[in-house]
Amino acid sequence: MKRDQAEELKSLQDTLYFIGGKWRIPVINSLCNGNRRFREIERSIPGITTRMLSKELKEMEMNKLVKRTVYDDSPVTVEYEPTEYCRTFGNIIMEMINWGRDHRKFIQKNKE
Amino acid sequence: MKRDQAEELKSLQDTLYFIGGKWRIPVINSLCNGNRRFREIERSIPGITTRMLSKELKEMEMNKLVKRTVYDDSPVTVEYEPTEYCRTFGNIIMEMINWGRDHRKFIQKNKE
């Protein structure tokens, strides 16, 4: 099958647009690792601010990446759960982790 | 083997930092598809401006992702070639293309 470069680029750019920014992927990763409460997610991502995480989760809820559930306990608790759709980023995240790991090994080797 | 979430996140963030911005990945993809001349690369990526591509290629040359060769023809020609290192992004790019393609199918199906 002949590769359609224009179609490939469009697919690639759609994905990049969806991933947008530096926090979306770490937040998806944190949710897929089982973190559910706001503070848990926040603590799992050093460098993210409360404001940025809040904004990210709101956008992800609108985009059906995250399901937000309010439990009527006392005090009220809120949980964030990744949707099936959110989990479709698994392969991209895995490849990114692999790349980062290989890259670090490569840098360390060149230092020795 | 127990997964080390902090290590995984670090690898992930290193990769995201390296990919940075919306043009790096499309430019890598264009080079890996065989485009070598500035105008070829530019035409292969709708939306990129001359200034942005120029900046991206300069940064990529500094980061050893691209080899720039000047041929002493008349007029002088310049070629950009992806390094082996540049090609290590292949798996990430492939997964991003797959995701974008699935996503488009999903959207189209839901419209019907």
Side-chain angles (χ1 to χ4, degrees):
Chain A
M1 199 176 79
K2 201 180 165 299
R3 286 174 55 192
D4 178 346
Q5 289 189 14
E7 185 275 330
E8 285 190 3
L9 179 66
K10 201 185 167 309
S11 299
L12 191 54
Q13 287 186 308
D14 284 351
T15 307
L16 285 164
Y17 177 80
F18 214 88
I19 288 174
K22 61 192 272 208
W23 298 115
R24 175 74 43 103
I25 286 285
V27 173
I28 291 175
N29 185 53
S30 176
L31 288 163
C32 290
N33 280 341
N35 296 306
R36 293 288 172 268
R37 304 285 299 270
F38 191 95
R39 295 294 166 202
E40 273 178 2
I41 302 166
E42 194 177 20
R43 266 195 301 267
S44 76
I45 308 172
I48 199 165
T49 63
T50 304
R51 203 178 147 206
M52 283 187 288
L53 179 55
S54 172
K55 183 173 165 284
E56 202 57 63
L57 286 169
K58 258 186 207 130
E59 283 178 21
M60 287 173 68
E61 202 191 340
M62 288 196 312
N63 286 316
K64 312 268 185 216
L65 289 168
V66 150
K67 193 172 158 270
R68 182 174 177 274
T69 310
V70 181
Y71 292 98
D72 194 9
D73 303 335
S74 161
V76 163
T77 58
V78 178
E79 280 194 4
Y80 297 90
E81 208 182 322
T83 60
E84 275 309 304
Y85 184 37
C86 184
R87 294 186 187 277
T88 61
F89 286 96
N91 288 348
I92 293 177
I93 289 177
M94 217 172 56
E95 290 298 344
M96 284 185 173
I97 290 172
N98 287 342
W99 191 90
R101 194 174 280 152
D102 289 348
H103 182 64
R104 198 162 57 243
K105 279 185 202 151
F106 177 77
I107 299 284
Q108 280 167 350
K109 210 172 162 183
N110 279 25
K111 266 189 196 161
E112 281 163 10
Chain B
M1 199 175 80
K2 203 183 163 301
R3 287 175 56 195
D4 179 346
Q5 290 189 13
E7 186 274 330
E8 285 190 3
L9 179 67
K10 202 185 165 311
S11 299
L12 191 54
Q13 288 187 307
D14 284 353
T15 307
L16 284 164
Y17 177 80
F18 215 87
I19 287 174
K22 61 192 270 205
W23 299 115
R24 175 75 42 101
I25 287 284
V27 173
I28 291 175
N29 184 53
S30 176
L31 289 162
C32 290
N33 280 341
N35 296 306
R36 293 288 171 269
R37 304 285 297 272
F38 191 94
R39 296 293 166 204
E40 271 177 0
I41 302 166
E42 193 178 21
R43 267 196 299 268
S44 75
I45 309 172
I48 200 166
T49 63
T50 304
R51 202 177 150 208
M52 283 187 289
L53 179 56
S54 171
K55 183 174 165 282
E56 201 59 60
L57 286 169
K58 258 186 207 131
E59 283 177 21
M60 287 172 66
E61 202 190 341
M62 286 194 313
N63 287 314
K64 312 267 186 217
L65 290 168
V66 149
K67 193 171 160 271
R68 183 174 177 275
T69 311
V70 181
Y71 293 98
D72 194 10
D73 303 336
S74 160
V76 163
T77 57
V78 179
E79 280 196 2
Y80 297 89
E81 207 183 322
T83 60
E84 275 308 304
Y85 183 37
C86 185
R87 294 185 189 277
T88 62
F89 285 97
N91 289 348
I92 292 178
I93 289 177
M94 217 173 54
E95 290 299 344
M96 284 186 174
I97 290 173
N98 288 342
W99 191 91
R101 196 174 280 153
D102 289 348
H103 182 64
R104 198 163 57 245
K105 280 185 202 153
F106 177 76
I107 297 284
Q108 280 168 347
K109 211 173 162 181
N110 278 26
K111 265 190 198 163
E112 282 163 10

